[in-house]
Amino acid sequence: MRAAVLLRPGAIELQDLPIPEAPPGGLVVRVRTALTDGTDFKAFRRGHPRMPMPTPFGHEFSGDVAASDSSFAVGDAVMCVHTAPCGECYWCKRGQEELCETIMPTMILGAYAEYIQVPERIVKRNCYPKPPELSYVTAAFLEPLSCVVHSLDLLNCRPDDNVLIIGDGGFGLLHAMLLKRSGATVLLAGRREPRLKIARDLGIETINARSRNIGEEIRKRTRDRGADIVIECTGREEVWEAAPDLARRGGTVSFFGGLPPDAKALFTASRLHYDEIRLISPFHFTPAAVKRARDLLVEKKIDPLPLITETVPLAEIATVFERLKNGEGIKFAVTP
Ligand SMILES: [Zn+2]
């Protein structure tokens, strides 16, 4: 089979690899759609602590069962994520399954390929039949949407909240779409006009941070208070550091965009303490979040297709990442 391998940052190679076999209790999926994603892009640009290279590549996908040692039958269309918690460790037992001891070491990568192996623990907890009326592209949004559902679980947003989202990538836009649905007042800040236009076409208010001052704008909108909630979706140190100053007294800052392993962020301690700024850092997702993300997609409560820039064959995978590096597009749908 053809499969993309990330040899080192900046170097993607298409290789001929053997088609995997179904592991005990697991599946092999013939990938129909794999989506590009910010994490993949980070790994491509600067490397990733959890992806020693060379590494198979890509983790948002949907497809058809090609081999099975599970209750799924060959030919079934499925949607799943690339991890599942063990259910037995300290964190799992405390309901923090996103932090499961073995969730990251057992994740599967390699969705930019014709076939991918799905182990039993994912099949049992985080794999669902894909209804025929749901496209493979929409179904492949299960993983990123699960991250955002989990992020909002930690946030406890109210419908009367004024929310500032910083970052106009796929995750910023998915946060904006879900929060708008919940009734919150959302302002999306970004620096790329084509992405902001997509948000505006979805009825989301935007501000271009290149030409306007986000702090002034948010104060104008909140009688000088600042945002009830600020969600950082850029994964940039300077934005992490600036975010608390955009929140109101008693507000919440959510750091959704992860930083490189050695990064540090500096905050004014008195502002955090005397203004009671709550800081949270949502990471990954629980099976319950995956289930709700699945429901949102299947029940068509959210339509993520406007985030797809273009559909491309697997042969163009290296070009696609170059295009992303040049600031082009949001998410590409790759069809192996
Ligand atoms: Zn666990």
Side-chain angles (χ1 to χ4, degrees), residues 84-93 96-97 99-103 121:
C86 74
E88 285 158 15
C89 72
Y90 180 85
W91 288 269
C92 281
K93 285 194 169 145
Q96 291 177 304
E97 294 158 298
L99 300 176
C100 168
E101 274 179 345
T102 51
I103 196 166
R121 66 195 269 173

Side-chain angles (χ1 to χ4, degrees), residues 163-176:
V163 184
L164 171 66
I165 300 167
I166 312 175
D168 53 17
F171 280 120
L173 282 155
L174 284 175
H175 271 92

Side-chain angles (χ1 to χ4, degrees), residues 73-148:
V74 171
D76 284 354
V78 289
M79 50 203 286
C80 66
V81 296
H82 67 308
T83 66
C86 74
E88 285 158 15
C89 72
Y90 180 85
W91 288 269
C92 281
K93 285 194 169 145
R94 294 203 159 210
Q96 291 177 304
E97 294 158 298
E98 71 276 20
L99 300 176
C100 168
E101 274 179 345
T102 51
I103 196 166
M104 286 294 126
T106 56
M107 76 174 166
I108 52 168
L109 296 171
Y112 303 134
E114 288 176 274
Y115 297 88
I116 187 167
Q117 211 178 31
V118 181
E120 181 177 30
R121 66 195 269 173
I122 295 178
V123 173
K124 278 194 167 157
R125 304 212 50 198
N126 281 338
C127 189
Y128 294 94
K130 181 192 80 66
E133 65 276 14
L134 198 71
S135 72
Y136 288 104
V137 180
T138 305
F141 273 91
L142 182 63
E143 198 273 345
L145 195 59
S146 300
C147 293
V148 177

